[in-house]
Amino acid sequence: MSIDRLLTKVLELYQDVHDDARTEQIYGSTTALLTNLSNPLNLSLLTSQLLIAPAIWGRPDAMRTCYRVISIFNSAAIHVRRNELENAKHKGPRAGGGLGSDAWAAAVLKGADGQSNRWQHLLVFTGVLMGMESGNRNSLSGGMRRTVERAVVTAANLALRKNEPVPQAPAGPVTLALNFTFSLLSESSRASLNCDALIPAATTAMLGADGLEDGYFLGAVDIDVRQAVERFTWEPNSPSYLHITQLEKKPLVSGLGPLSRLLGYAIQNARDSQVILQLQDDLIAFTGKLFQHWQVNNKLSELEISEESIYLTPETISGTWEGLWSFLKKVMYAIVAVSQAVVARSLLDWRLKKHDVAPVVAAKTLHTLRNLYFISSRNGSDSFQVYQFTYLTSLDTLSRFGDASAAFLEEIKPNTEGTIPFHPLHRTLDLFYLNVAEHLPLHLPPEACDKLIIQPAITYLTNAAAPLSPRMMELFESAHSAVLSVLSCPHNAPITVKIVPFYAETLFSSFPKHISPRQFRLAFKTVMQILSPPFPIAASHPQLAETLLEMVRYRASIAGQDPNGQAPLPPPPAADPLEAQEPMSEQSTLVLTLIDALPFLQLDIFEDWMTLAAHAVNEIRDSALREVVKRRFWEVLVSGEMDVERAAIGVAWWGTKGGREAVLFGRAPERQEEMYMMSGALSRPERGSKL
């Protein structure tokens, strides 16, 4: 069929809606015509008619149609450029229509006339720019490229503009087009974008029906979960999983990464700060729905990570289950990337830095991260840099405002007073709460610290009989950290006096079953520091620190008489490399705790406790464990952890008061061991030798 007859036939087919097969044929014929037409007027006519054709726009899936229109002009532009290069190399019959890239692009742009909508024009311009310039093709001249870029930006701005009574353009097609072209636009073209209008449109497209469907895809999973013998199975061919796989193929969902960068640029360059606050509300609403769908409509949310291999079939774990969490992580990455842009702007925009706005921005960001915590807390998914910046910066901002911090904690406070929640998701939220609370006590009054931090943490500290799991270990350690953060604040001295004895006893009862050796040592070291000068409690209760040391020494002595206390503890998790270096037992950890506390003791008891610690070292029977403790003792003496006064006492004790012999050889050394000495000291001569 000649090109002119094909053009006539395609224009006739445009006038009615057809079935899928005929529609695909129309798409293919349109691409062929755009590639091979030689008359610019026919190109403009074809473009103009395509943009109003019922055969194209009468289809039910509007976003798929938009994607196909972009694809048509993208493919045609690639072929036109290829034909242009071929014609330049070879003389003879011309390939394609014979038009150069600039002339072809100009003819197509003229076809975007007043009969069609601006957002439809944007789809055409997007296809042209992508086909000519993506992949470093550089097909257009500098002037024509600037013309096409201006056309893209102008069409986008006009489509996003509210112009009553004309209805606003659908957000999905505009966002889709800009998502494809944003990386191709020059800085000057990007600067012309109406970011105030782009933010709500891109947010709606990303989170709504054209994108992530408001999280409703999670609510359908439970229907397809079946029980097989004693385990649950979720088949790959189930409707809910097939829907998720189709959802991932949506243009806006498969392009969540570029879309989050587009939104990030708009956030950084928007003039109206109110649209940013509204964006935060939209993110909170979406993540809240996502969490609710997972909690209320899915029985699989009742599984902890450690229980998945028990209750799920191996095929489910390696198939649908892994695919679901992979998709949820992509969603989480995109939401966090957008939140990071908001937080970054809040540090620079004076309107968002105001005292009545800054804590609101921080609290909204933390609400979003809390709703996503059931995803980000899996297998260290919250460790990437963008998440940490967003989380910690929001905490730093919120912690400066005591009233806002108290209000935020009150809003997300666990509602299970005194009992550990049964549902794993509730425990996950408790973990987020304790991790956040740990950063906020500095500007909270003592009463608020007790109510909002100490009491929720005590729920986990006093339930030592709770079943152990990796998540429970995290909760126990977070509860200890939260309590220590309160005790570390000087203005909380009245609370410290009441809590320290109880907390110390809880600490001993938790170790080594519920907290690791590193966490135990760190917690006790922090308590000793709190009870030492210059903290006011050191003057009001001077005996408290020594009492706790006596408790540690007594526990170490008891552990030395128990075979379990002398045995090396199980190796720590691979995720905790700080402990994976040296072996430890319960007894050796307690002795190390004594040694860690030495730099904080008051001067009048410092030397006595060095001697007691040295004796405790040699009560450790295992030589490998004992050597670890000796090295730590020596490290405390020489590493600069002590101040000048204590260091001077330590030198005298080591050199002239028997400290060296007590540490290295104990009361009855069996053999000469490697000599440890202070840097710059003279070694003691052997008996009978002459100096």
Side-chain angles (χ1 to χ4, degrees):
M1 185 182 296
S2 68
I3 196 70
D4 293 332
R5 289 180 60 191
L6 180 60
L7 175 60
T8 302
K9 183 171 181 59
V10 168
L11 292 178
E12 291 176 356
L13 291 173
Y14 278 172
Q15 306 310 311
D16 198 4
V17 180
H18 306 280
D19 58 21
D20 291 345
R22 178 55 64 90
T23 302
E24 287 297 324
Q25 188 179 23
I26 293 174
Y27 284 141
S29 299
T30 302
T31 304
L33 286 170
L34 288 170
T35 304
N36 294 290
L37 284 172
S38 58
N39 189 336
L41 295 178
N42 286 339
L43 274 173
S44 300
L45 173 64
L46 179 63
T47 303
S48 175
Q49 292 301 305
L50 180 143
L51 292 178
I52 60 173
I56 303 297
W57 304 102
R59 307 288 299 172
D61 190 347
M63 284 299 292
R64 176 175 171 78
T65 299
C66 295
Y67 182 78
R68 291 304 304 270
V69 170
I70 293 175
S71 177
I72 287 172
F73 285 91
N74 174 52
S75 300
I78 292 173
H79 285 97
V80 167
R81 177 57 175 170
R82 185 179 303 158
N83 292 338
E84 181 183 20
L85 295 176
E86 287 293 328
N87 292 333
K89 290 180 182 179
H90 307 291
K91 294 182 179 180
R94 295 180 305 174
L99 291 177
S101 296
D102 282 13
W104 183 87
V108 171
L109 264 60
K110 287 181 181 179
D113 52 28
Q115 299 183 70
S116 49
N117 296 309
R118 296 291 187 179
W119 61 268
Q120 293 172 305
H121 300 174
L122 178 59
L123 302 176
V124 173
F125 303 155
T126 295
V128 172
L129 184 60
M130 289 177 61
M132 290 295 181
E133 298 297 322
S134 63
N136 296 319
R137 277 188 282 271
N138 300 321
S139 306
L140 300 173
S141 63
M144 180 52 68
R145 173 162 183 167
R146 287 190 292 272
T147 299
V148 177
E149 288 187 15
R150 281 197 303 270
V152 168
V153 173
T154 302
N157 289 340
L158 291 175
L160 293 171
R161 184 175 60 182
K162 294 182 179 180
N163 189 17
E164 300 293 346
V166 178
Q168 193 173 6
V174 178
T175 304
L176 176 66
L178 288 177
N179 200 35
F180 283 133
T181 57
F182 182 72
S183 61
L184 300 174
L185 297 176
S186 63
E187 285 298 327
S188 59
S189 297
R190 293 180 182 182
S192 301
L193 284 170
N194 184 355
C195 293
D196 290 350
L198 176 58
I199 289 176
T203 305
T204 300
M206 178 180 180
L207 307 179
D210 294 331
L212 295 171
E213 301 178 349
D214 288 322
Y216 286 112
F217 61 90
L218 274 184
V221 172
D222 191 65
I223 301 174
D224 296 323
V225 175
R226 301 283 186 266
Q227 189 165 1
V229 192
E230 296 181 353
R231 298 188 178 189
F232 292 99
T233 181
W234 182 26
E235 297 295 336
N237 58 355
S238 61
S240 57
Y241 189 72
L242 291 175
H243 177 70
I244 291 174
T245 56
Q246 291 300 316
L247 180 63
E248 287 189 88
K249 295 177 182 178
K250 280 188 173 183
L252 288 176
V253 176
S254 62
L256 279 176
L259 181 53
S260 64
R261 289 191 288 272
L262 173 64
L263 257 175
Y265 176 85
I267 291 167
Q268 293 296 322
N269 293 276
R271 297 180 180 180
D272 185 4
S273 59
Q274 289 301 315
V275 299
I276 298 175
L277 297 177
Q278 181 59 48
L279 165 65
Q280 286 196 294
D281 292 337
D282 294 338
L283 293 179
I284 292 174
F286 169 77
T287 55
K289 291 177 184 176
L290 197 68
F291 179 83
Q292 286 300 319
H293 289 313
W294 180 245
Q295 177 187 17
V296 177
N297 300 325
N298 202 317
K299 65 172 69 72
L300 297 181
S301 65
E302 300 176 9
L303 297 179
E304 281 200 0
I305 298 177
S306 58
E307 299 173 335
E308 291 172 1
S309 60
I310 302 174
Y311 293 103
L312 297 178
T313 62
E315 295 78 15
T316 298
I317 293 175
S318 61
T320 52
W321 191 245
E322 183 178 349
L324 172 65
W325 286 107
S326 176
F327 176 60
L328 289 176
K329 285 180 182 179
K330 292 177 184 177
V331 175
M332 184 263 294
Y333 292 150
I335 300 297
V336 172
V338 174
S339 299
Q340 186 261 352
V342 174
V343 172
R345 167 146 185 176
S346 71
L347 300 177
L348 303 174
D349 189 340
W350 65 269
R351 292 163 295 187
L352 299 179
K353 290 169 61 177
K354 293 191 296 186
H355 286 266
D356 58 335
V357 179
V360 175
V361 175
K364 287 183 176 181
T365 303
L366 291 172
H367 273 297
T368 299
L369 297 181
R370 177 177 181 265
N371 291 336
L372 292 173
Y373 200 60
F374 77 99
I375 305 171
S376 60
S377 61
R378 284 180 65 91
N379 303 320
S381 298
D382 59 352
S383 59
F384 62 105
Q385 186 176 5
V386 172
Y387 186 99
Q388 290 300 313
F389 170 83
T390 306
Y391 175 66
L392 295 176
T393 304
S394 299
L395 285 175
D396 287 344
T397 301
L398 185 63
S399 65
R400 294 188 286 113
F401 304 92
D403 292 341
S405 298
F408 178 74
L409 290 178
E410 189 70 49
E411 190 172 354
I412 67 170
K413 181 184 176 185
N415 55 12
T416 52
E417 295 290 344
T419 58
I420 296 177
F422 171 78
H423 202 293
L425 271 183
H426 295 163
R427 295 199 292 268
T428 299
L429 294 182
D430 286 0
L431 179 60
F432 183 86
Y433 179 89
L434 293 171
N435 288 338
V436 168
E438 176 186 349
H439 294 81
L440 301 181
L442 188 59
H443 292 94
L444 291 176
E447 298 78 11
C449 287
D450 182 45
K451 175 185 176 183
L452 298 174
I453 303 179
I454 295 292
Q455 296 307 319
I458 284 178
T459 299
Y460 287 92
L461 298 182
T462 56
N463 282 273
L468 282 181
S469 67
R471 177 50 48 85
M472 290 301 296
M473 290 289 289
E474 289 182 90
L475 281 160
F476 287 131
E477 295 197 355
S478 294
H480 282 284
S481 298
V483 170
L484 290 172
S485 69
V486 173
L487 302 184
S488 299
C489 297
H491 71 280
N492 286 329
I495 298 179
T496 304
V497 174
K498 294 188 300 182
I499 291 295
V500 161
F502 159 78
Y503 177 68
E505 185 61 35
T506 303
L507 199 60
F508 287 124
S509 63
S510 300
F511 175 74
K513 187 177 181 181
H514 291 91
I515 58 174
S516 64
R518 180 186 63 83
Q519 182 73 13
F520 177 82
R521 290 172 59 190
L522 179 62
F524 198 89
K525 181 179 178 180
T526 304
V527 170
M528 293 302 300
Q529 191 173 5
I530 294 168
L531 299 178
S532 304
F535 283 83
I537 194 173
S540 60
H541 296 76
Q543 305 299 323
L544 195 51
E546 191 170 13
T547 301
L548 294 183
L549 282 180
E550 284 287 1
M551 294 174 66
V552 175
R553 191 169 73 92
Y554 173 74
R555 296 281 180 142
S557 176
I558 296 298
Q561 301 171 17
D562 184 357
N564 293 327
Q566 300 173 30
L569 295 172
D576 195 356
L578 295 177
E579 292 181 71
Q581 299 173 0
E582 296 176 330
M584 291 186 189
S585 66
E586 181 180 352
Q587 181 190 16
S588 68
T589 300
L590 291 166
V591 177
L592 285 168
T593 304
L594 276 180
I595 297 171
D596 292 338
L598 292 177
F600 307 108
L601 299 182
Q602 298 192 41
L603 294 177
D604 56 342
I605 62 173
F606 176 64
E607 186 175 313
D608 292 339
W609 275 103
M610 281 200 297
T611 302
L612 292 172
H615 292 161
V617 169
N618 285 281
E619 291 177 358
I620 301 173
R621 299 180 184 179
D622 188 296
S623 59
L625 298 174
R626 190 167 60 248
E627 285 302 315
V628 171
V629 179
K630 287 181 180 180
R631 285 195 295 271
R632 175 58 185 154
F633 204 124
W634 180 250
E635 181 183 347
V636 168
L637 290 173
V638 303
S639 64
E641 294 182 43
M642 299 179 181
D643 60 16
V644 175
E645 292 178 296
R646 289 170 179 79
I649 296 174
V651 169
W653 175 81
W654 180 269
T656 64
K657 297 185 178 182
R660 172 177 172 272
E661 290 75 11
V663 173
L664 298 183
F665 311 122
R667 296 174 181 172
E670 298 180 358
R671 59 184 178 85
Q672 187 72 19
E673 301 191 22
E674 180 184 355
M675 182 178 297
Y676 291 77
M677 62 183 65
M678 299 290 291
S679 176
L682 296 175
S683 61
R684 191 167 68 176
E686 298 293 334
R687 181 176 299 176
S689 64
K690 296 182 180 180
L691 291 175

